[in-house]
Amino acid sequence: MLVKASPKPLRWQRTRTSLFGRQVEIFAATGKLLWFLGCDRLRGKRDSKHRQRRADWLVNTLLDLGPTFIKIGQALSTRGDLLPLEYIRALSQLQDKVPPFSSDEAIALIERELKNSLHSLYRDFDYHPLAAASLGQVHKARLHTGEEVVVKVQRPGLEKLFNLDFQVLYQQVILAERLFHWTRKYDLESIYNEFRTYIYEEIDYIHEGKNAERFRENFSDSETILVPKVYWRYTTSKVLTLEYLPGIKINDKETLESIGINVRELNTMGIGCYLKQLLIDGFFHTDPHPGNMAVTPEGQIIFYDFGMMSEINSLNQAEMTRSFFAVLRKDTDEVLETLMAMGLVEELQDMTPVRNLVQFALDRFRDRPIEFQEFGALKRELYAMFEQQPFRLPAQMTFVLKALGTLDGIARTLDNQYSLIGCAKPFVKTLVVENQSGRGQVFGELTRQAKGFINQRFNRPSPAEVLIRDLEGRLERGEFQFRTNSPEIERQMQRIQLMLTVLVYACITGFSVLSGAVFISGTYPIAAFIAFGISGLSGFFFLKALLIFIIRDRF
């Protein structure tokens, strides 16, 4: 039998890790990244090829740092609003480029967890993994009953590594909030706690099995959504055995079209599936990247990997329902009201700028995909709003946005002209037609909103009436006024102020060093000591101001 050589292990796999060692590795990588970004900014290197080299370095660094940082990279790969395109493309490779670990280690763990030999457990077992992820890898097998299954095996030593990494990450969160006060509005500590909870839940395969069963039950009546069955006899906290359901990767447009799959219908099916998860079930898959979704030759969607699932409480579910149908109706006031109810927008004395932004987004992007050039204009307006701090992002909502952002990316790959609202209409019609009164209060609200939306479509006022009502509303809110300030000018003034601060500290540092050198040569040790002390203190403030300037100017 031909035995393949084990893949070359990464640094975190081949060394005995300690807290101090991880601190050195993680802080060094963070400092190096900030240094690179700062140097590139100061030297004016912004071309695509240079950014691509930096992005490739970041991917390799995250891979070398281990599973915790691979997960962070995967989360960032969906944030096209924050990172350049080169970084998004490079980070998306983390979903496919994670190296497997030794099959011998996987088999030893299976036998230890299931307390039996491999041949007693499975009739056949494929030693070569089907796929490797940041937290484990999957092997195909066959039970003695003849059923084909996949066996998911956790990476050895994972929990110990997480314990160390999260200690270091917490130190970085605290340090960021102390040094950079503007980071406090993002509530980094809550996001850290939420991410930590989800990661530890994801490495508990019994928890994942229960998630899979619940998700399967939610779609038990669906003919278009498939979820693999859990084999509990062959499952522990570190080994998970599931039904084998092969399919075509959901973003493989060329293959899907070659077998006759209508990608537009597939988009409609996928959007409807997620609206059901968010608005009806309140239980949704938070990581729907192409590696976790596939399509059968018959056009059914298969879901994999249920380690990261999230629940939405009934209050937020009802508000999300109201917000969804308010977007369909282009009801700016109700969208804003629901955003405040969910805690995404803080109420200010003058809500006109925020209302204008919501109205702008509804008018421009409701019925068609957002073009990147237009998104740039929206992003500039959003940054102006963030400076006034009217927006907040609760930790749970980051997972909702991450899931929707990933799904939007898949939909664009299949059809770059897709419309979210167009894909959602069949879901709305289904709500009105079907009788599901047993679903409770949330579904009752959903049905009422759907019926109201249908009635509004049939009783739509004329364009002249809409224009007059809009004009009256804007007059009442006092939106017709001259702007005496520009967000762009304010940002430039803040940038100049930061530059002057850096320059002043640099001058003080340089002058103090020169003075100290003069005093030493003139045999004035006490004066030299004081001068060098001042230079050290001003040098610290210079570096801090420079770092703040680089980060704010970059992000």
Side-chain angles (χ1 to χ4, degrees):
M1 184 179 73
L2 180 64
V3 179
K4 293 186 178 182
S6 298
K8 184 180 178 181
L10 296 170
R11 180 172 57 189
W12 60 272
Q13 292 175 299
R14 63 178 182 262
T15 58
R16 288 180 172 272
T17 52
S18 64
L19 178 59
F20 177 73
R22 290 302 281 176
Q23 285 174 328
V24 171
E25 291 176 355
I26 295 167
F27 274 93
T30 305
K32 197 171 182 180
L33 175 63
L34 294 175
W35 174 259
F36 282 160
L37 295 177
C39 289
D40 292 347
R41 190 71 176 180
L42 292 174
R43 292 158 61 188
K45 289 193 174 182
R46 303 181 185 180
D47 59 284
S48 180
K49 288 184 178 179
H50 191 75
R51 282 201 300 262
Q52 187 63 54
R53 286 197 296 271
R54 293 296 190 222
D56 292 338
W57 173 87
L58 179 60
V59 167
N60 291 328
T61 300
L62 293 175
L63 277 170
D64 215 26
L65 285 175
T68 312
F69 297 89
I70 292 170
K71 280 292 177 184
I72 291 173
Q74 288 175 352
L76 288 174
S77 71
T78 66
R79 298 305 303 269
D81 56 329
L82 297 180
L83 299 177
L85 184 60
E86 293 82 5
Y87 283 82
I88 298 300
R89 288 173 178 168
L91 289 170
S92 65
Q93 297 173 15
L94 285 169
Q95 296 164 351
D96 300 312
K97 283 182 59 177
V98 183
F101 55 92
S102 159
S103 297
D104 291 337
E105 289 183 288
I107 292 168
L109 191 146
I110 291 171
E111 292 181 337
R112 185 170 63 250
E113 286 290 312
L114 299 180
K115 298 179 173 57
N116 217 327
S117 68
L118 190 71
H119 297 295
S120 299
L121 294 166
Y122 307 103
R123 181 193 297 178
D124 301 308
F125 187 88
D126 189 350
Y127 287 80
H128 185 71
L130 286 175
S134 54
L135 306 184
Q137 65 190 33
V138 176
H139 293 261
K140 185 182 176 184
R142 187 188 300 271
L143 300 177
H144 287 286
T145 56
E147 296 161 282
E148 289 189 319
V149 296
V150 290
V151 184
K152 186 174 179 180
V153 189
Q154 190 177 114
R155 286 184 180 272
L158 204 58
E159 189 170 353
K160 179 185 176 183
L161 188 67
F162 277 160
N163 292 339
L164 296 174
D165 286 351
F166 278 109
Q167 286 186 60
V168 181
L169 283 173
Y170 185 71
Q171 292 170 354
Q172 289 195 332
V173 167
I174 297 302
L175 191 63
E177 290 185 341
R178 287 179 180 174
L179 292 180
F180 312 111
H181 299 295
W182 55 270
T183 63
R184 294 177 183 175
K185 63 185 175 184
Y186 298 108
D187 198 5
L188 295 180
E189 192 167 348
S190 294
I191 295 175
Y192 161 85
N193 289 329
E194 193 80 10
F195 183 70
R196 185 177 184 276
T197 300
Y198 276 89
I199 287 293
Y200 277 103
E201 286 180 351
E202 191 171 2
I203 63 173
D204 180 0
Y205 286 172
I206 290 179
H207 180 79
E208 180 175 347
K210 291 178 179 177
N211 284 343
E213 279 202 337
R214 180 176 173 184
F215 196 79
R216 179 183 169 91
E217 178 63 27
N218 287 343
F219 288 95
S220 59
D221 298 331
S222 173
E223 297 180 355
T224 57
I225 306 298
L226 297 181
V227 182
K229 173 186 173 184
V230 181
Y231 290 87
W232 287 108
R233 182 182 171 187
Y234 306 93
T235 296
T236 70
S237 61
K238 294 182 180 179
V239 177
L240 177 62
T241 303
L242 297 165
E243 177 185 6
Y244 177 57
L245 290 177
I248 304 161
K249 211 170 183 179
I250 196 166
N251 65 341
D252 189 352
K253 181 179 179 180
E254 185 177 345
T255 303
L256 291 172
E257 289 183 330
S258 69
I259 63 171
I261 301 293
N262 187 321
V263 292
R264 292 190 174 182
E265 290 182 3
L266 193 63
N267 269 345
T268 300
M269 191 190 311
I271 297 296
C273 169
Y274 252 83
L275 289 174
K276 178 181 182 298
Q277 293 175 49
L278 293 171
L279 304 181
I280 296 179
D281 302 330
F283 182 69
F284 68 99
H285 198 298
T286 64
D287 197 20
H289 66 73
N292 287 340
M293 296 175 72
V295 182
T296 67
E298 294 75 30
Q300 299 162 300
I301 297 178
I302 311 167
F303 279 87
Y304 307 120
D305 195 352
F306 304 93
M308 290 193 73
M309 307 290 288
S310 184
E311 286 192 73
I312 304 171
N313 63 49
S314 57
L315 177 61
N316 278 346
Q317 212 177 331
E319 295 301 338
M320 283 176 65
T321 300
R322 285 181 58 207
S323 183
F324 171 70
F325 284 99
V327 169
L328 293 184
R329 296 191 302 267
K330 287 191 178 182
D331 188 336
T332 306
D333 289 330
E334 187 162 1
V335 170
L336 191 56
E337 184 181 333
T338 55
L339 291 177
M340 288 190 291
M342 287 187 287
L344 296 178
V345 175
E346 295 179 4
E347 187 171 3
L348 301 176
Q349 187 173 1
D350 180 15
M351 295 297 292
T352 302
V354 187
R355 183 179 286 104
N356 289 344
L357 182 62
V358 173
Q359 183 69 56
F360 172 72
L362 290 178
D363 288 341
R364 297 291 295 276
F365 308 129
R366 196 201 70 147
D367 295 314
R368 57 191 178 92
I370 302 175
E371 296 295 334
F372 282 108
Q373 296 84 353
E374 293 177 325
F375 189 75
L378 179 61
K379 187 167 69 172
R380 286 192 293 272
E381 293 295 328
L382 277 171
Y383 284 161
M385 294 297 101
F386 275 126
E387 289 175 3
Q388 300 176 28
Q389 298 187 29
F391 288 99
R392 295 183 304 174
L393 193 61
Q396 186 192 50
M397 292 305 295
T398 61
F399 293 99
V400 175
L401 296 179
K402 175 181 178 292
L404 292 177
T406 307
L407 200 66
D408 176 76
I410 294 172
R412 286 176 187 274
T413 302
L414 295 176
D415 177 16
N416 58 11
Q417 293 300 316
Y418 96 102
S419 164
L420 175 63
I421 302 304
C423 290
K425 285 180 180 177
F427 173 77
V428 175
K429 291 178 182 177
T430 303
L431 292 177
V432 178
V433 173
E434 290 185 1
N435 178 21
Q436 300 190 38
S437 57
R439 291 282 187 170
Q441 183 178 357
V442 172
F443 189 82
E445 175 67 21
L446 196 56
T447 305
R448 284 193 296 273
Q449 292 284 350
K451 289 179 177 177
F453 172 69
I454 297 295
N455 289 335
Q456 188 229 21
R457 301 291 288 186
F458 281 112
N459 300 307
R460 181 184 295 175
S462 67
E465 289 179 289
V466 172
L467 183 62
I468 292 172
R469 290 178 187 175
D470 181 60
L471 184 61
E472 289 176 347
R474 296 181 71 181
L475 283 169
E476 289 175 1
R477 294 190 295 266
E479 293 182 13
F480 287 106
Q481 51 186 318
F482 292 102
R483 292 187 64 174
T484 57
N485 63 331
S486 167
E488 184 62 31
I489 292 175
E490 290 178 7
R491 283 196 294 272
Q492 290 298 329
M493 292 297 294
Q494 290 178 0
R495 188 170 185 272
I496 291 170
Q497 184 180 0
L498 282 171
M499 290 175 64
L500 288 174
T501 303
V502 171
L503 184 62
V504 168
Y505 282 127
C507 291
I508 294 174
T509 303
F511 178 75
S512 302
V513 170
L514 289 174
S515 300
V518 170
F519 286 138
I520 283 181
S521 63
T523 64
Y524 297 102
I526 297 177
F529 177 79
I530 294 172
F532 283 128
I534 294 172
S535 70
L537 186 63
S538 61
F540 168 77
F541 286 111
F542 162 71
L543 291 174
K544 179 182 175 182
L546 179 63
L547 190 60
I548 291 173
F549 171 74
I550 291 170
I551 292 175
R552 294 196 66 172
D553 201 37
R554 175 67 183 84
F555 294 107

